[in-house]
Amino acid sequence: MVQFCWSGVTGAMMARMGGWLMALSSVPRGDLQGGQAALSSCILSQRERPRPSFAQENMMRRYAFATAVALAAAISVWTVAVQAAPAATSEAAAAWSAYDQGDYVAAAPSLRRLAEAGDGEAQAAMGWMYEKGLGVKADGEAAWSWRRRAAQSGEARAQYAYATNGFSLQMISRAESLKWLRKSAGQGYAPAQFELGKAYARGLGLKRDDAQAVALFSKAAGQGYPRAQVALGQMYESGRTVEPSKAIARDWYLRAGLQGDPEAQARLGDLASRAVSVRAYDRTYDTPDPLEAARWFALSGDRQATDLAMRRMTPDEAASVRAAVRDWRPRPEWTPGRVFNWEEALIVKEAQEVTQTEDPGALSNPTLATIAAAEADLDFARARKLARAGAEAGDPAAQSWLARMDLEGISGPRDLRASRDWMRRASTQGHAASQIELAVQLQQPGIYQPGVPDPEALAESYFWAQIADANPSSSQDQRFFAKRLVSDLSGRLTPDAAADARRRAAAWKAQPEGVRPAPPAA
């Protein structure tokens, strides 16, 4: 009876500590409630019971001491847990803040701890950081391991990254990629819904099913994802599965175009240049409108179409187009989240380009600043004169700019040979961006040579890609792209041709022309 009463006292003490202590104590809730009842019974019967013996009192003291120690330990554990939780939350917040600001070195240690603890988003971030060498040493195997763990954690964006990156890098099959796209799309992630819809629309690894494609595009477009809005507009414009409706197609193009999607803006420009009704800027155009077309072409970044449209305008019309483009601001519906893969990086880069007004004065090269200012004002003729003056004076950046103008036929006829020659001159001086672009153009049919690229063009492309990869002035993105290009081209060359290109690249040295002051453009 003495032992029973003492357990009642202990249970009552613990009951008064509150519900939070129950989780830390080994005493079940039933014992606590029973302890209170036993205590009441014990107190009421104190006068009826004989005084406990010395041995019994000694036992009761030991039991009380053990109980106090257990309670103190439980309270200590709870205190440490309560204090550690805010610290862990603060550490995670600081890590993600550093990641979002691009301070990957500061973010890496904490994100690694979060990832190892099973955080799917942190695992996806570690995969991206290891793939690109952001804050950690680039490691393809580690990147892939973290991507797999992140996808298996159930995080929708990680599943999307695993599916798209894995297939593009030939690490997983198309069937495996589609499996993970389904998982991500099933959680409502708009980019995954778009990619899965594209697979149905084109029959990529799946039986072609336009109805499924429209359903998936609609879900993603409804969330404001601009690429899905453009795809859905195309379905309505062509009448695939749905009733043809240019009005609905225009509405979807407009929603995407107002967000800054360049493909949607180019399609709106094309519609405005033809006898098709186009609603924009709260107006409806029922006849071809070259001014409206020029506005959309300029916003899309299609310099060639903009230049052609502007050539046929009066000075006042050109001024109105410039004013409209200068004052335009995007109206985003969908905001890209954190970057976890290459595809998302491109999307974010496009979003940043259309939401940030370029300040030509911020360019470190004064020649480029003046060229950029002229192009920003849609004065392509002056931009071309400035670019030519700088290129002939030996400025590699101006040479690269003029090469692109020749390639696209900006303010002059398209001249592929001149474009290639200017690009080679800039590349020979060590201009990293030109080296990358020259490598890309040489290995693509129909750019600098008709039909399928000949072996010599592929070998030269391989040569410049290696030089760009080793160029100390290459940016992280440029070097990453150069490595992928080298990997792709190595399988398209004969062993002898590849070895010869590597030998020449290893011995290559930049040959600066010596920039001379460029005369002012007229």
Side-chain angles (χ1 to χ4, degrees):
M1 185 64 184
V2 173
Q3 294 179 6
F4 178 81
C5 275
W6 188 253
S7 67
V9 173
T10 305
M13 289 170 58
M14 296 180 69
R16 290 179 180 275
M17 296 299 290
W20 57 267
L21 193 54
M22 296 179 188
L24 301 174
S25 172
S26 60
V27 180
R29 182 184 294 269
D31 287 354
L32 298 179
Q33 294 172 344
Q36 289 177 320
L39 177 61
S40 300
S41 175
C42 180
I43 293 173
L44 291 174
S45 61
Q46 282 295 318
R47 295 178 181 177
E48 303 175 2
R49 293 202 314 272
R51 180 180 180 82
S53 66
F54 175 80
Q56 289 174 326
E57 287 183 345
N58 194 32
M59 180 190 68
M60 290 164 62
R61 292 191 189 96
R62 289 198 301 270
Y63 192 82
F65 178 76
T67 302
V69 171
L71 285 171
I75 292 171
S76 176
V77 169
W78 175 82
T79 302
V80 170
V82 169
Q83 292 174 343
T89 303
S90 176
E91 181 186 20
W96 284 120
S97 176
Y99 183 92
D100 293 338
Q101 294 173 21
D103 189 355
Y104 301 105
V105 173
S110 296
L111 287 182
R112 182 188 299 279
R113 283 191 286 273
L114 289 170
E116 289 173 345
D119 187 303
E121 192 175 20
Q123 290 169 345
M126 291 303 299
W128 173 240
M129 291 164 68
Y130 270 112
E131 181 176 321
K132 295 263 301 185
L134 303 173
V136 295
K137 185 178 180 181
D139 186 333
E141 290 187 7
W144 190 243
S145 174
W146 281 118
R147 287 199 181 282
R148 186 186 300 109
R149 289 178 63 178
Q152 292 170 345
S153 76
E155 214 282 328
R157 298 187 67 222
Q159 292 170 340
Y160 169 76
Y162 182 77
T164 54
N165 275 44
F167 181 70
S168 65
L169 297 175
Q170 300 181 341
M171 298 294 288
I172 59 176
S173 66
R174 186 182 291 278
E176 182 74 2
S177 174
L178 290 171
K179 183 187 79 172
W180 287 103
L181 278 179
R182 288 184 191 278
K183 290 178 180 290
S184 180
Q187 297 189 62
Y189 188 50
Q193 292 170 335
F194 165 72
E195 289 295 335
L196 190 58
K198 191 166 66 174
Y200 275 115
R202 299 180 182 178
L204 302 175
L206 296 167
K207 183 179 179 181
R208 181 169 165 173
D209 189 334
D210 288 344
Q212 280 278 20
V214 168
L216 287 162
F217 288 155
S218 297
K219 290 179 180 179
Q223 295 185 60
Y225 190 53
R227 300 177 71 190
Q229 292 172 339
V230 173
L232 191 57
Q234 290 176 291
M235 299 296 275
Y236 275 102
E237 186 174 8
S238 62
R240 286 177 57 179
T241 301
V242 295
E243 186 72 23
S245 174
K246 291 192 180 296
I248 295 178
R250 286 194 303 273
D251 287 344
W252 283 117
Y253 291 152
L254 184 61
R255 283 183 62 176
L258 290 175
Q259 292 192 73
D261 184 89
E263 184 178 357
Q265 292 169 334
R267 288 183 176 277
L268 288 167
D270 183 56
L271 290 174
S273 66
R274 297 184 278 121
V276 178
S277 175
V278 176
R279 179 169 61 82
Y281 296 105
D282 300 321
R283 294 173 56 193
T284 299
Y285 303 84
D286 295 313
T287 58
D289 189 316
L291 272 67
E292 184 65 17
R295 293 186 192 107
W296 283 118
F297 284 138
L299 290 171
S300 74
D302 189 335
R303 301 188 301 173
Q304 184 179 28
T306 308
D307 178 43
L308 290 173
M310 298 281 287
R311 290 183 198 181
R312 297 189 287 268
M313 293 182 186
T314 66
D316 288 344
E317 290 174 335
S320 71
V321 171
R322 293 188 181 102
V325 172
R326 185 170 53 249
D327 297 338
W328 183 84
R329 294 293 181 273
R331 307 174 194 174
E333 293 182 49
W334 183 81
T335 304
R338 292 189 175 108
V339 172
F340 293 146
N341 71 349
W342 184 255
E343 182 74 13
E344 288 173 325
L346 295 178
I347 294 172
V348 171
K349 182 179 179 182
E350 289 178 358
Q352 291 172 341
E353 286 174 350
V354 300
T355 56
Q356 297 175 0
T357 302
E358 181 71 34
D359 179 12
L363 296 170
S364 58
N365 186 319
T367 301
L368 290 190
T370 57
I371 299 171
E375 282 210 358
D377 200 35
L378 304 182
D379 190 347
F380 296 104
R382 177 171 174 76
R384 184 177 185 82
K385 289 179 181 179
L386 290 166
R388 178 168 288 280
E392 290 176 346
D395 188 323
Q399 292 170 346
S400 178
W401 199 300
L402 183 59
R404 288 193 292 272
M405 297 187 86
D406 281 333
L407 179 64
E408 298 175 23
I410 304 301
S411 190
R414 192 180 187 205
D415 191 334
L416 299 183
R417 176 173 293 183
S419 173
R420 181 179 54 194
D421 290 345
W422 284 119
M423 197 68 74
R424 279 179 175 151
R425 282 182 63 174
S427 298
T428 300
Q429 293 196 71
H431 192 249
S434 297
Q435 293 168 348
I436 287 282
E437 190 157 351
L438 182 59
V440 171
Q441 306 291 17
L442 285 168
Q443 57 93 37
Q444 289 181 343
I447 304 297
Y448 285 155
Q449 68 286 316
V452 179
D454 61 64
E456 290 185 5
L458 287 178
E460 186 180 0
S461 174
Y462 186 58
F463 167 78
W464 285 115
Q466 290 180 89
I467 290 174
D469 181 26
N471 192 332
S473 64
S474 290
S475 68
Q476 201 166 40
D477 283 341
Q478 289 170 337
R479 191 168 291 110
F480 177 76
F481 190 79
K483 289 182 184 296
R484 296 187 66 175
L485 198 57
V486 167
S487 176
D488 175 64
L489 289 168
S490 62
R492 300 169 64 185
L493 293 171
T494 65
D496 289 344
D500 179 66
R502 286 193 294 270
R503 177 185 56 76
R504 290 188 293 113
W508 181 88
K509 290 184 179 180
Q511 301 173 27
E513 295 182 14
V515 180
R516 303 174 297 281

